[in-house]
Amino acid sequence: MTKIITENLHLHYGENHALRGIDLNIHANKITALIGPSGCGKSTFLKTLNRMNDSVPNIKITGKVLLDGEDIYDSTVDVTKLRKKAGMVFQSPNPFPMSIYDNVAYGLRIHGIKKRVLIDEIVERSLQGAAIWDEVKDRLRTPALALSGGQQQRLCIARTLAVSPEAILMDEPTSALDPISTMKIEELMSELAKKYTVVIVTHNMQQAARISDYTAFFLLGEMIEYDKTNNIFAAPKDQRTENYITGRFG
Ligand SMILES: Nc1ncnc2c1ncn2[C@@H]1O[C@H](COP(=O)(O)OP(=O)(O)O)[C@@H](O)[C@H]1O
Ligand SMILES: [Mg+2]
């Protein structure tokens, strides 16, 4: 099943034509990796999927992004609701300067949930879903910023899960983490794909090969090749993809 479709998606930052007609079908309950050299438009593309670019000055976006068949750039779309449905996790963990509990409860309160027992329940479930519950259950009221980097990143994932997203967009979520924390997040990712559509930007090709079901290779604002991850790495069709995955550039 297809969850997100982009059609002839172009994005300009002023004169910089950063996305050049991207057509991509992102499958539900799969992990899709976006790879390619630095500056090729991976983060830009990811951000267009939940309109994180909206407030960038001089930006121009044309083409379509359909989430469950609905055009997310339609003027009637409620952007807060959209970002609840498609949550984003960033490269450096960015917990809020508040307690672990309040970080996870934050989105719920924003969305008007007030019942304490319900919030308690969702906080626990989200922390479990992000594989960090056991490490923090005895210190939920302590500052999130005292956690290790890897724990902070899983907390940010829990914060995203709390508002019941359908898609989770991750921009190099492990690039600031040590190998053990990276492994934990990678393990978590395949768990997440059972319930959510996961899109992950990574410049670590081994990571893409290990964890993703589908891979899209980007170069200079174009999407060069998109296929099942095994095919991309074992039998790329485009010479440029092959050059990249064999380490000849990038
Ligand atoms: N907020 C921005 N304003 C202007 N240009 C940007 C902005 N973000 C990215 N760019 C430019 O868009 C291009 C793609 O960048 P980006 O999507 O960050 O690439 P990647 O994530 O693949 O490294 C680059 O040329 C970059 O300089
Ligand atoms: Mg990037």
Side-chain angles (χ1 to χ4, degrees):
M1 210 186 84
T2 304
K3 185 73 183 173
I4 304 170
I5 300 176
T6 71
E7 286 174 8
N8 197 24
L9 184 68
H10 287 264
L11 183 148
H12 289 81
Y13 294 113
E15 299 290 297
N16 182 356
H17 194 178
L19 295 178
R20 300 170 179 244
I22 311 292
D23 293 296
L24 197 64
N25 283 4
I26 295 172
H27 302 278
N29 296 100
K30 299 285 178 204
I31 303 177
T32 299
L34 312 178
I35 63 168
S38 182
C40 67
K42 304 179 296 295
S43 298
T44 297
F45 177 75
L46 193 74
K47 287 188 225 156
T48 60
L49 304 182
N50 76 347
R51 294 183 53 172
M52 288 299 277
N53 285 315
D54 274 16
S55 56
V56 177
N58 296 319
I59 200 161
K60 191 177 119 207
I61 299 171
T62 62
K64 279 200 172 130
V65 178
L66 307 174
L67 176 59
D68 290 330
E70 233 186 302
D71 184 352
I72 68 165
Y73 284 92
D74 191 275
S75 58
T76 59
V77 166
D78 177 336
V79 177
T80 308
K81 276 203 191 128
L82 166 67
R83 294 194 184 137
K84 177 171 179 292
K85 204 168 165 184
M88 176 106 39
V89 174
F90 298 90
Q91 179 168 358
S92 359
N94 58 347
F96 304 133
M98 47 178 85
S99 71
I100 293 168
Y101 182 97
D102 286 340
N103 262 276
V104 185
Y106 185 85
L108 300 172
R109 292 178 175 139
I110 297 255
H111 290 286
I113 298 174
K114 293 202 181 74
K115 260 175 80 186
R116 182 58 195 269
V117 276
L118 182 60
I119 297 182
D120 281 353
E121 188 188 309
I122 299 173
V123 166
E124 175 170 346
R125 199 198 312 145
S126 305
L127 289 165
Q128 273 169 346
I132 188 178
W133 171 250
D134 290 339
E135 290 159 62
V136 300
K137 62 174 189 271
D138 299 322
R139 48 169 168 153
L140 294 176
R141 300 291 168 184
T142 64
L145 292 169
L147 295 170
S148 74
Q151 289 172 325
Q152 288 186 15
Q153 193 61 303
R154 279 178 287 141
L155 176 65
C156 292
I157 293 171
R159 188 174 66 191
T160 303
L161 298 185
V163 297
S164 307
E166 294 176 24
I168 304 176
L169 313 173
M170 302 194 185
D171 196 349
E172 306 201 18
T174 63
S175 66
L177 305 181
D178 61 81
I180 304 273
S181 305
T182 296
M183 199 176 74
K184 281 195 182 146
I185 303 243
E186 288 187 3
E187 285 168 1
L188 169 61
M189 225 109 61
S190 51
E191 255 335 281
L192 293 177
K194 291 177 185 162
K195 287 168 77 178
Y196 310 98
T197 300
V198 179
V199 186
I200 176 179
V201 168
T202 176
H203 64 228
N204 178 335
M205 280 186 280
Q206 287 73 30
Q207 178 169 71
R210 271 195 303 270
I211 66 169
S212 69
D213 302 293
Y214 291 86
T215 296
F217 171 58
F218 282 69
L219 186 64
L220 298 169
E222 284 181 64
M223 210 268 295
I224 305 294
E225 190 167 349
Y226 174 54
D227 205 336
K228 290 198 166 142
T229 296
N230 289 340
N231 296 342
I232 289 280
F233 286 95
K237 292 192 182 72
D238 193 290
Q239 185 64 45
R240 292 165 293 180
T241 314
E242 179 166 349
N243 289 347
Y244 183 70
I245 61 167
T246 54
R248 258 170 254 163
F249 70 93

